[in-house]
Amino acid sequence: MKIDKIEVQHVKMPLVSHFETSFGKLLEKDFLIIKIFSGEHIGYGESVALPDPTYSEETTGTVSYMLDAFLIPLLLKEEINHPDDVTKRFAPIRRNNMAKAALEGAVWDLYSKKKGISLSKALGGVSSSIAVGVSIGIEETTDKLLSKVDRFLSEGYKKIKVKIKPGYDLEPLTKIRETFGYDIPLMADANSAYTLADIERLKEMDPLKLMMIEQPLAYDDIIDHSILQSELATPICLDESIHSVEDARKAIELGSCRIINIKIGRVGGLTEAKKIHDLCEKHSIPVWCGGMLEGGIGRAHNIAITTLPSFTIAGDTSASNRYWKEDIIFPEVTLSRPGEIDVPTGDGIGFKLNKEVINKYLLTTKVYESKTV
């Protein structure tokens, strides 16, 4: 694939409502849209990094710098034959996975379009629709939380994820169970808010019969999670701790978790996400696709990866209107039926860009011509 030029657009969009986790509150999100031009085709990618280094060390600013100073020059150095080549080319650069994934995702989309197939088919996907859940942030009152749970259940979402932190955990989760029963698929996401000193508190969640507790301990830990998992009946799901297939292998061997959340940006791209999926499939570890408040391009990539066979748990890829008044793609992502999204069958990601929306929220545009890099 000969790349003619790369365009990076920086946009900032307001969320429908604030989204709060244990590490802060978001009212808007800025992110980068990547466009890779090759002949008559354009591949689209999206940076999923947050504005602040709270979820990980990466931010929109660091991604922009890494693309400009290192990754785009490396990508344009010579032609590539397959998207897997991007991972190999970026290997000398340590971490910066979200920056790598933004470019690599655009290459995967470009590759699929040149092949005349959908991105899901290019990845080896087998599903024509995916089951989806919804993530609910920390709410100001229990009544507001219960109202949101009620609404999302009525819309058919097949997993309810609730953000928790010390002081906001047992009470809201118990209220949900008391109100809606034990049959609804409920999980908690701690975003690294606890330590082993909280082990007794976390054990009190076992009677709630949660699907899982996601990343209760430190963002870079797999050792203490193995200790905690041995004490809990509730499965632990690892998120922030897993940045590569090697991380996943070690966590599985240590017994640090029973479920793994795969986020394309966190692990450095679709190629590495596939490797983690394949490893988990081998060890009968179920996986699901997490969310990073993506715009439509990132959401489309999540849909595609979720079509792989071991994504057996509903992911966080909810409809566009869950987070945005207007999305950067058309048609927007919608529920095809309660709790399900149909997988696009068109070439590449299967969506077009909504230039009007992008221009409305556009901050900057930078173009990299192949011959000048």
Side-chain angles (χ1 to χ4, degrees):
M1 290 183 286
K2 182 181 181 297
I3 297 174
D4 301 318
K5 69 176 181 179
I6 296 175
E7 184 175 288
V8 179
Q9 293 181 301
H10 185 188
V11 299
K12 181 184 285 188
M13 292 169 48
L15 294 164
V16 169
S17 59
H18 78 267
F19 190 81
E20 184 174 350
T21 69
S22 62
F23 48 72
K25 182 186 293 187
L26 275 178
L27 301 174
E28 58 187 3
K29 190 184 180 192
D30 72 322
F31 55 92
L32 304 176
I33 297 169
I34 314 297
K35 301 177 182 177
I36 298 183
F37 296 78
S38 178
E40 61 182 10
H41 298 102
I42 308 173
Y44 301 124
E46 179 183 324
S47 165
V48 300
L50 298 176
D52 302 310
T54 48
Y55 172 81
S56 76
E57 71 279 9
E58 289 186 86
T59 68
T60 308
T62 67
V63 169
S64 180
Y65 171 74
M66 290 301 299
L67 292 175
D68 182 80
F70 298 102
L71 299 177
I72 288 177
L74 270 176
L75 184 61
L76 294 178
K77 191 175 181 180
E78 56 187 75
E79 292 186 26
I80 57 173
N81 296 314
H82 190 276
D84 290 348
D85 298 340
V86 179
T87 301
K88 297 172 186 175
R89 192 168 298 180
F90 290 166
I93 306 295
R94 302 298 185 200
R95 295 292 282 267
N96 291 283
N97 284 349
M98 292 180 182
K100 293 176 179 178
L103 269 183
E104 190 240 35
V107 172
W108 267 105
D109 184 36
L110 178 65
Y111 171 81
S112 305
K113 287 171 177 172
K114 283 184 170 288
K115 289 285 187 180
I117 58 176
S118 68
L119 178 58
S120 61
K121 185 174 181 181
L123 291 167
V126 297
S127 303
S128 58
S129 66
I130 63 167
V132 293
V134 69
S135 179
I136 303 176
I138 293 169
E139 296 295 327
E140 296 172 356
T141 67
T142 302
D143 285 344
K144 286 185 178 181
L145 173 65
L146 295 177
S147 176
K148 285 193 173 183
V149 172
D150 186 48
R151 175 160 62 90
F152 293 133
L153 286 174
S154 69
E155 292 174 6
Y157 282 105
K158 297 187 175 181
K159 185 188 70 185
I160 301 294
K161 180 168 85 171
V162 176
K163 299 287 186 178
I164 62 170
K165 64 180 179 179
Y168 184 91
D169 44 34
L170 280 173
E171 181 184 357
L173 292 171
T174 300
K175 285 289 186 182
I176 292 172
R177 281 299 189 214
E178 289 174 351
T179 305
F180 300 102
Y182 283 76
D183 291 333
I184 70 165
L186 178 66
M187 63 167 286
D189 183 6
N191 288 116
S192 310
Y194 298 83
T195 71
L196 283 180
D198 300 303
I199 194 167
E200 293 304 318
R201 181 72 171 179
L202 292 167
K203 287 170 71 173
E204 289 184 64
M205 297 182 194
D206 278 342
L208 295 173
K209 304 296 182 184
L210 302 175
M211 298 175 70
M212 68 192 90
I213 301 175
E214 185 179 0
Q215 198 72 34
L217 307 181
Y219 73 95
D220 57 354
D221 170 76
I222 58 174
I223 303 297
D224 285 353
H225 277 101
S226 69
I227 298 170
L228 178 61
Q229 183 65 92
S230 69
E231 294 288 331
L232 292 183
T234 305
I236 288 175
C237 170
L238 286 184
D239 174 3
E240 289 96 324
S241 296
I242 308 299
H243 296 93
S244 66
V245 68
E246 275 299 290
D247 288 342
R249 178 186 65 80
K250 292 168 185 173
I252 293 170
E253 290 183 4
L254 287 169
S256 304
C257 62
R258 296 177 192 159
I259 300 169
I260 287 179
N261 167 348
I262 297 178
K263 289 179 179 171
I264 299 166
R266 191 192 71 233
V267 303
L270 290 162
T271 295
E272 193 71 12
K274 283 183 60 184
K275 290 179 182 178
I276 295 171
H277 164 274
D278 294 348
L279 175 75
C280 289
E281 186 175 43
K282 178 181 178 181
H283 291 277
S284 300
I285 300 289
V287 300
W288 57 281
C289 183
M292 290 290 294
L293 305 175
E294 291 91 349
I297 297 171
R299 204 163 291 269
H301 283 83
N302 287 349
I303 292 171
I305 194 69
T306 305
T307 62
L308 296 179
S310 279
F311 281 86
T312 55
I313 298 173
D316 286 347
T317 309
S318 48
S320 293
N321 64 8
R322 166 70 182 98
Y323 298 112
W324 312 112
K325 292 180 181 177
E326 47 190 352
D327 206 344
I328 59 173
I329 58 169
F330 66 85
E332 293 190 354
V333 176
T334 58
L335 296 183
S336 309
R337 60 197 65 82
E340 291 187 16
I341 293 173
D342 283 342
V343 178
T345 56
D347 294 354
I349 61 172
F351 295 90
K352 298 184 183 299
L353 296 200
N354 190 326
K355 295 179 182 178
E356 182 178 343
V357 172
I358 292 171
N359 289 334
K360 181 177 180 179
Y361 298 109
L362 183 64
L363 299 177
T364 62
T365 299
K366 191 162 186 179
V367 178
Y368 301 82
E369 298 283 352
S370 182
K371 60 186 177 184
T372 61
V373 174

